[in-house]
């Protein structure tokens, strides 16, 4: 079937109360309009036309790479008026025309395909997709007569009796091209909003004794239209649960799936456990048997098998090898590579550094622009002083080094294999292998000082 598809996206989305056009608001991290275009793509349409109006340039910037033609609706005078902007495209369309709105992001391609199939089977002038949501408020209601759908009444034009109708218009239709061209010329704007309503084409078909068909969308969530931020949050919840259910089927444990976010690009191995409030963003992969504890966010990072991420970590653009452990409260910044079995503990920040197999930095450290070998111990409070105010410099810590607590390693500097850095030392030169480096002010102990002070105080009092 040589289908032409028209997507309506010219409205501002007043009910969003936003300076940003509605269709740019992200759902699961992706603008609404791209959800709809991604659902349309697999139908292999002859042509896809997008009707833009409000801040068209801003909308265009998020749809680069899609094979679509854009037409403009300079004044938003209703959905019928919006489709009218595409008459030239419709006139040259080889087959039926499907129209849908850019604010129904939960639609699946199969559902659209079933509408197109039903339309070609029925030979109707127009086939409309309807739904039975729990709450029909706000949608156009489908008025049926003895011989099927008669017309659609918008909420604002509906009588109290019509408002009780549970079947609603999803805003998705398939039209016979000739009929659509005719009907676009026939719709009027005599209604509560003074707009040209596309759904009025249905009453026109009836009037012309043409066939009207309807297909019920089995899952009313799919047809959900996003008009407000409340709708947006509900859709976010629906998408999250859908995706999370898929991962649970694949063998991942989610302790509280309502609070876990998993991006579309994320990949998770079996027997991995995600605790509440975990976010896996961007191109993140977790191997098998990993544990991610509450409140951690992992972004564009790859983790091997058996990795533990304790509570409240932020991990960005990093690679973590098998059985390594991070957190709680650790920050891995871009370019961090953790070797197998290595451990990054609480309040440790790592940036652009490689940590070798079995090495540890368990408490309160900053490791930046460093290459750390195997089995290195980095004590509490150790800092690589990588920045001199102008440039970043490298710190190299070879295998088996022990860096005592509160040492500062002033880069560029190299600590040789198996060397010892004494606690509290400031290292400003390279340390050869197996050496001890110690820099400390001499310790001075003066006996009896505290006792004398106490006695003086007592005298004064
Ligand atoms: C519309 C339908 C309603 C249906 C609902 C399904 C009409 C008159 N009503 O109502 O029957 O139940 O969708 O979600 O069609 N748009 C333009 N130009 C305009 C007006 C709108 O491009 O002049 C675009 C919007 O950007 C949006 C879409 O059309 O993507 C739908 O507009 P919206 O105002 O959200 O219509 P609803 O009130 O939801
Ligand atoms: Ca809408």
């Amino acid at each position: 079937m040589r289908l032409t598809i028209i997507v309506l996206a010219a409205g501002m989305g007043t009910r969003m109360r936003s300076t940003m056009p509605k269709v740019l608001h992200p759902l699961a991290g992706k603008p609404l309009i791209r959800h709809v275009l991604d659902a349309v793509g697999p139908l292999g349409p002859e042509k896809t036309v997008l009707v833009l109006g409000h801040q068209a340039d801003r909308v265009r910037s998020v749809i680069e790479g899609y094979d679509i033609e854009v037409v403009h609706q300079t004044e938003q005078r209703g959905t019928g008026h919006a489709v009218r902007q595409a008459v030239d495209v419709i006139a040259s369309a080889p087959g039926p025309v499907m129209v849908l709105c850019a604010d129904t992001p939960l639609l699946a391609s199969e559902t659209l395909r079933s509408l197109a199939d039903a339309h070609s089977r029925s030979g109707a002038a127009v086939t409309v997709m309807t739904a039975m949501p729990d709450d029909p408020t706000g949608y156009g209601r489908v008025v049926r007569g003895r011989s099927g759908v008669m017309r659609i009444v918008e909420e604002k034009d509906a009588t109290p009796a019509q408002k009780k109708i549970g079947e609603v218009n999803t805003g998705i239709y398939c039209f016979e091209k000739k009929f659509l061209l005719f009907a676009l010329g026939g719709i009027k704007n005599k209604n509560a909003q003074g707009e040209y309503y596309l759904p009025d084409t249905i009453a026109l078909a009836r009037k012309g004794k043409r066939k009207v068909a309807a297909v019920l969308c089995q899952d009313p969530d799919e047809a959900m239209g996003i008009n407000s931020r409340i709708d947006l949050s509900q859709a976010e919840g629906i998408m999250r649960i859908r995706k999370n259910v898929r991962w649970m089927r694949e063998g991942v444990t989610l302790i509280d799936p309502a609070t876990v976010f998993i991006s579309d690009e994320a990949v998770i191995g079996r027997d991995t456990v995600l605790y509440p409030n975990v976010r896996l963003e961007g191109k993140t992969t977790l191997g098998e048997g990993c544990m991610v504890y509450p409140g951690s966010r992992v972004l564009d990072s790859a983790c091997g098998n058996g990795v533990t991420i304790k509570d409240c970590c932020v991990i960005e653009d990093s690679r973590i090898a098998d059985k390594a452990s991070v957190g709680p409260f650790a920050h891995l910044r871009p370019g961090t590579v953790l070797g197998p079995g290595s451990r990054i503990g609480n309040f440790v920040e790592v940036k652009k550094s490689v940590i070798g197999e079995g090495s540890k930095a368990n408490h309160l450290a900053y490791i930046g622009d460093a290459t750390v070998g195997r089995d290195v111990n980095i004590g509490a409070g150790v800092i690589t002083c990588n920045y001199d105010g102008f440039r970043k410099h490298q710190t190299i810590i070879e295998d088996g080094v022990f860096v005592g607590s509160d040492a500062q390693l002033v880069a560029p500097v190299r600590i040789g294999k198996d060397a010892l850095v004494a606690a509290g030392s400031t290292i400003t030169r390279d340390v050869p292998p197996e050496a001890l480096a110690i820099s400390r002010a001499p310790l001075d102990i003066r006996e009896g000082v505290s006792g004398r002070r106490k006695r003086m105080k007592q005298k004064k009092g």
Side-chain angles (χ1 to χ4, degrees), residues 73-155:
Q73 184 196 26
T74 36
E75 250 185 296
Q76 280 67 57
R77 300 169 67 190
T79 46
H81 181 259
V83 176
R84 220 183 264 161
Q85 312 312 306
V87 278
D88 291 346
V89 182
I90 299 167
S92 61
V97 180
M98 181 184 279
V99 179
L100 62 159
C101 302
D103 68 351
T104 48
L106 299 180
L107 271 175
S109 302
E110 302 82 69
T111 308
L112 293 176
R113 196 175 318 239
S114 71
L115 171 68
D117 290 347
H119 179 74
S120 68
R121 275 199 309 271
S122 73
V126 48
T127 305
V128 58
M129 179 161 271
T130 68
M132 300 281 276
D134 291 339
D135 179 7
T137 311
Y139 290 98
R141 305 298 204 284
V142 178
V143 180
R144 283 183 183 261
R146 233 175 291 148
S147 55
V149 177
M150 302 306 290
R151 61 202 170 98
I152 286 164
V153 188
E154 292 305 302
E155 168 95 20

Side-chain angles (χ1 to χ4, degrees), residues 59-312:
V59 179
R60 266 174 193 270
S61 71
V62 306
I63 53 165
E64 277 165 22
Y66 287 92
D67 180 18
I68 46 183
E69 190 173 309
V70 171
V71 299
H72 288 270
Q73 184 196 26
T74 36
E75 250 185 296
Q76 280 67 57
R77 300 169 67 190
T79 46
H81 181 259
V83 176
R84 220 183 264 161
Q85 312 312 306
V87 278
D88 291 346
V89 182
I90 299 167
S92 61
V97 180
M98 181 184 279
V99 179
L100 62 159
C101 302
D103 68 351
T104 48
L106 299 180
L107 271 175
S109 302
E110 302 82 69
T111 308
L112 293 176
R113 196 175 318 239
S114 71
L115 171 68
D117 290 347
H119 179 74
S120 68
R121 275 199 309 271
S122 73
V126 48
T127 305
V128 58
M129 179 161 271
T130 68
M132 300 281 276
D134 291 339
D135 179 7
T137 311
Y139 290 98
R141 305 298 204 284
V142 178
V143 180
R144 283 183 183 261
R146 233 175 291 148
S147 55
V149 177
M150 302 306 290
R151 61 202 170 98
I152 286 164
V153 188
E154 292 305 302
E155 168 95 20
K156 287 184 176 143
D157 302 297
T159 62
Q162 287 169 335
K163 281 186 186 159
K164 291 207 178 88
I165 298 173
E167 189 181 12
V168 305
N169 171 24
T170 63
I172 310 159
Y173 327 76
C174 257
F175 291 96
E176 175 199 284
K177 160 192 157 174
K178 260 192 177 156
F179 169 73
L180 179 58
L181 285 172
F182 155 77
L184 286 177
I187 48 179
K188 305 267 183 331
N189 64 348
K190 289 201 185 92
N191 51 53
Q193 305 189 79
E195 289 186 353
Y196 295 93
Y197 292 164
L198 184 62
D200 284 356
T201 51
I202 286 168
L204 280 177
R206 278 293 181 170
K207 221 168 128 192
K209 306 248 177 315
R210 295 295 316 271
K211 188 170 177 187
V212 174
V215 178
L216 181 73
C217 181
Q218 296 301 324
D219 175 4
D221 284 349
E222 248 192 62
M224 182 182 177
I226 309 296
N227 295 321
S228 67
R229 298 193 199 232
I230 300 154
D231 298 336
L232 189 61
S233 78
Q234 273 163 6
E236 188 84 40
I238 293 166
M239 279 208 88
R240 187 160 51 224
I241 289 294
R242 268 190 195 170
K243 219 179 308 168
N244 292 355
V245 162
R246 271 207 305 275
W247 282 114
M248 289 190 276
R249 289 214 173 97
E250 294 286 320
V252 177
T253 294
L254 274 68
I255 309 258
D256 180 10
T259 67
V260 171
F261 173 84
I262 302 171
S263 78
D264 282 344
E265 301 112 300
V267 179
I268 313 168
R270 279 190 194 188
D271 294 320
T272 282
V273 180
L274 305 179
Y275 276 76
N277 294 315
V278 163
R279 293 184 63 86
L280 305 180
E281 300 179 4
K283 282 200 172 68
T284 288
T285 60
L286 291 178
E288 295 188 357
C290 295
M291 302 288 274
V292 187
Y293 287 94
S296 284
R297 184 157 77 91
V298 188
L299 174 79
D300 292 326
S301 297
C303 304
N305 299 325
V307 167
T308 302
I309 298 169
K310 292 180 187 163
D311 313 48
C312 301

Side-chain angles (χ1 to χ4, degrees), residues 338-358:
L338 301 188
S342 60
R343 285 167 61 176
I344 296 299
N346 21 206
F347 307 108
V348 175
E349 175 182 344
V350 185
K351 187 215 83 176
K352 238 192 207 176
S353 295
V354 179
I355 310 290
E357 184 170 348

